[in-house]
Amino acid sequence: MADQIKATNIKWHHETVTQKDREANNGHEAAVLWFTGLSASGKSTIAQALQAVLFEHHCQTYVLDGDNIRHGLNKDLGFSPEDREENIRRIGEVAALFMDAGMIVNTAFISPYRADRDKARGLCGERFIEIYVHCPVEVCEERDPKGLYKKARAGTIPEFTGISAPYEAPENPELTLNAAEHSVEECVGQVVAYLQARGILKKL
Ligand code: ADP
């Protein structure tokens, strides 16, 4: 959609403080933890719980959450395929900025299309960590914390992922969390262990 730069007479300014400088100050590396999965699979819950653990250990961390971003930055976007693509494109750009600012940023978006997630990966580079929050649609539908599946089944929400719109599961995610069988705490523990194994985090 917005792949071309429209403005003219703009130039890139070099920064006086780099990502590396910020990471040295923070005592951990920056990363984008890209949680993807069906609605109600547990993305927000796990991203928030992880943020709390990281924060407690003095890490610089932030959650970009689907619904919240749609209240502001992306309030002009709906759920058509084009709007979903633009939604994820903007989030990819924002996540890359947060990473440049030295943070561990957790993003919680369904992000149903593989191609869009791959574009975000392209923007963020090698510390883009795709985390597939795996949870069968039947379990998601049973949880239904926002009553969305009920509405989707009743036909009042069109283009609902997993019911009337596609979800393309990651083929090679860095991490898969089985959120139907493991508790929130266990899922958070698995992410922390992964970050430590990658050297992004030291021992907490
Ligand atoms: P999403 O962000 O993927 O739409 P939410 O985090 O908003 O999902 O909702 C997931 C729901 O499932 C919450 O009500 C949460 O308490 C519940 N839940 C139960 N078990 C888990 C688990 N292991 N991981 C994440 N959420 C879980």
Side-chain angles (χ1 to χ4, degrees):
M1 205 180 256
D3 285 343
Q4 304 289 329
I5 296 174
K6 206 169 175 183
T8 53
N9 299 313
I10 54 167
K11 90 182 211 356
W12 189 269
H13 285 274
H14 286 285
E15 50 283 279
T16 51
V17 181
T18 66
Q19 182 181 323
K20 250 188 159 28
D21 296 331
R22 294 177 200 279
E23 290 175 327
N25 247 15
N26 293 343
H28 61 78
E29 292 184 341
V32 171
L33 310 185
W34 190 280
F35 291 87
T36 173
L38 296 174
S39 179
S41 59
K43 301 178 296 297
S44 297
T45 304
I46 296 168
Q48 289 290 348
L50 174 65
Q51 156 171 267
V53 169
L54 294 175
F55 185 78
E56 200 180 305
H57 289 87
H58 310 290
C59 297
Q60 295 291 331
T61 183
Y62 195 76
V63 174
L64 297 173
D65 184 89
D67 280 7
N68 295 0
I69 297 284
R70 282 181 179 278
H71 276 88
L73 177 66
N74 289 355
K75 67 178 168 193
D76 58 325
L77 300 176
F79 291 93
S80 68
E82 299 73 32
D83 279 7
R84 284 178 192 258
E85 179 184 349
E86 177 61 7
N87 183 43
I88 296 308
R89 187 192 71 80
R90 290 184 199 170
I91 301 314
E93 293 281 2
V94 173
L97 288 175
F98 272 79
M99 194 165 73
D100 195 43
M103 301 195 129
I104 296 173
V105 48
N106 307 335
T107 72
F109 297 84
I110 298 173
S111 46
Y113 302 127
R114 216 169 274 139
D116 296 346
R117 295 193 302 267
D118 286 346
K119 272 192 215 157
R121 181 186 289 278
L123 288 170
C124 298
E126 62 169 13
R127 273 186 257 134
F128 177 92
I129 296 156
E130 190 173 17
I131 302 177
Y132 178 28
V133 182
H134 182 260
C135 187
V137 69
E138 305 77 52
V139 178
C140 294
E141 194 162 356
E142 205 171 297
R143 289 178 178 171
D144 206 11
K146 299 176 208 154
L148 298 178
Y149 282 92
K150 210 164 172 215
K151 285 191 191 165
R153 289 285 181 204
T156 54
I157 306 181
E159 302 182 277
F160 192 76
T161 302
I163 304 291
S164 48
Y167 177 75
E168 298 173 359
E171 279 169 344
N172 281 307
E174 275 72 9
L175 202 58
T176 296
L177 302 175
N178 192 336
E181 284 173 19
H182 295 137
S183 69
V184 176
E185 293 69 28
E186 285 168 335
C187 292
V188 168
Q190 287 167 25
V191 179
V192 168
Y194 176 85
L195 295 176
Q196 289 174 334
R198 278 275 304 258
I200 290 167
L201 278 184
K202 300 198 183 95
K203 291 268 171 275
L204 289 185

